Amino acid sequence: MTQHRRRLGAWLLAGVVLAVVLTLYQADRTGVGEHASAPSATPTAAPSGTDAPAPTATPSPSATPSPTPSPGTAEPPPSPSASACASPGACGFPDASSTGPRIALERHDTGNMSVKKDGTVIKGWDIHGSLDIYANDVTVIDSRITSTNWWGINLRPGFSGLKVLHTTITAVPGKGPDNGGVNYAVSNMGGSSIEVGWCDISVFGNALSMGQGDLHDNYVHDLVAFRNQGGEWQHTDAVISGGGNKGRLTLRHNTLLNSTPVDRGATAAVGLFADTGVVSSVVVDGNWLAGGAYALYGGGPGATGIQVTDNVFSTQYHPGAGAYGPVAAWNAGGAGNVWKGNRMSDGRPVTPEPNS
């Protein structure tokens, strides 16, 4: 009997121990399961006074987050690539697709043709020759000129009102009168402004030559180097002015390229020179400029009223736009001279050297 009671007591004790163990195991299993199955969907804010960062979203592979400046520091300037420009046409400047004639042309073998009737309109002509203008208010539009003369179109002194619009003006290299070269696509020898717009111009050594005029939306390119009758390399400029002008010269929204090597006469994309008088009253605004010794010559020490604004100086031929840099001969102290908003095609600002 005593032995039976001892055996029963042992079984009861074992049962109690087993029950306790099972209870503790179940409690632990239930706690782990509840924690794993219900994660918080909203990150918990860090307690006040701690440095724990709030969780952030992982950026997509195509997006690189910008660094956040430390408190009290200025934000970093934008990367130059943010305002970079790859090519004239891609960046809204004139090229072959936006210049030249818009209609079918009829061939005219004119030779050097003199125009002497006021108000003459030449439209739709494919001219093999050149035009010498001895009349007022002549318009050349939607045409093509292929010259072997000194010029493509020349306005003679004493006449005014010439307009050259939507026209291709080129020449035949090696066939011109200046030791095989040709000099001026459009020359203004008159005393008043002329208009040249939406034209495709190539080959001529000094493509657009004038002291006053409205030159806009033109594409000047592929100037051809040649030795002139003096045996020297002809100086080449997409636009050239010799100073002494009495009216305003405006260059707005043109593509002006001078790819001529500097050791073969390259001077500038825009050359404002005081050759025949002081340079004054010139606007160079919103153009694409590339090539030359310097891309822009600014008129020299006596120049006044020169406004150079919002131009792109392209690195397509030289890292500095011109072989020696973007600009020379800029008179920063000249009355009315303004230099503003000019930049390289890679986005860097352009500032003239002091007393350059």
Side-chain angles (χ1 to χ4, degrees), residues 79-87 91 93 287-291 294-296 310-327 339-352:
S79 168
S81 62
S83 56
C85 224
S87 67
C91 298
F93 291 91
N287 302 281
W288 177 281
L289 310 176
Y294 290 90
L296 171 71
D310 298 325
N311 297 283
V312 175
F313 288 78
S314 171
T315 61
Q316 64 194 93
Y317 303 130
H318 308 287
Y324 306 130
V327 56
W339 185 279
K340 182 180 178 181
N342 302 294
R343 62 182 176 88
M344 299 294 291
S345 55
D346 61 12
R348 292 173 290 149
V350 176
T351 303

Side-chain angles (χ1 to χ4, degrees), residues 21-324:
V21 170
L22 289 173
T23 300
L24 292 174
Y25 174 77
Q26 183 64 27
D28 182 68
R29 184 175 180 275
T30 301
V32 171
E34 288 176 353
H35 177 72
S37 63
S40 174
T42 304
T44 304
S48 176
T50 70
D51 294 327
T56 58
T58 302
S60 65
S62 61
T64 303
S66 301
T68 302
S70 303
T73 63
E75 291 189 7
S79 168
S81 62
S83 56
C85 224
S87 67
C91 298
F93 291 91
D95 62 9
S97 68
S98 59
T99 56
R102 301 163 294 177
I103 60 176
L105 305 181
E106 178 183 343
R107 178 159 175 156
H108 290 258
D109 293 309
T110 64
N112 181 33
M113 186 174 89
S114 295
V115 178
K116 298 184 177 181
K117 182 180 178 180
D118 289 353
T120 297
V121 175
I122 295 174
K123 182 175 182 179
W125 285 26
D126 180 5
I127 297 172
H128 288 248
S130 59
L131 299 177
D132 212 358
I133 311 298
Y134 293 87
N136 297 311
D137 303 320
V138 172
T139 298
V140 181
I141 186 169
D142 287 316
S143 294
R144 177 183 174 90
I145 296 172
T146 304
S147 176
T148 55
N149 199 1
W150 293 93
W151 56 80
I153 302 177
N154 182 35
L155 179 66
R156 290 290 179 169
F159 300 95
S160 63
L162 174 65
K163 294 184 178 182
V164 185
L165 309 173
H166 296 286
T167 293
T168 293
I169 308 172
T170 190
V172 182
K175 299 294 184 180
D178 194 358
N179 200 29
V182 289
N183 294 74
Y184 312 109
V186 181
S187 173
N188 182 8
M189 299 175 67
S192 65
S193 181
I194 69 174
E195 180 183 2
V196 183
W198 303 285
C199 290
D200 183 326
I201 299 169
S202 61
V203 180
F204 295 89
N206 290 294
L208 297 171
S209 175
M210 62 197 68
Q212 49 271 324
D214 179 11
L215 312 180
H216 63 88
D217 301 289
N218 299 294
Y219 175 44
V220 182
H221 60 102
D222 294 306
L223 306 183
V224 174
F226 65 92
R227 292 188 185 275
N228 58 29
Q229 290 180 346
E232 301 174 338
W233 287 108
Q234 171 67 27
H235 292 293
T236 58
D237 304 88
V239 175
I240 186 170
S241 176
N245 53 299
K246 304 195 183 308
R248 180 180 293 275
L249 176 62
T250 299
L251 287 62
R252 183 166 282 122
H253 197 243
N254 302 282
T255 297
L256 303 173
L257 310 180
N258 187 351
S259 59
T260 308
V262 72
D263 61 350
R264 293 193 173 194
T267 305
V270 175
L272 306 178
F273 303 111
D275 294 336
T276 58
V278 173
V279 179
S280 63
S281 192
V282 180
V283 173
V284 183
D285 176 63
N287 302 281
W288 177 281
L289 310 176
Y294 290 90
L296 171 71
Y297 282 82
T304 59
I306 315 299
Q307 300 175 35
V308 182
T309 55
D310 298 325
N311 297 283
V312 175
F313 288 78
S314 171
T315 61
Q316 64 194 93
Y317 303 130
H318 308 287
Y324 306 130

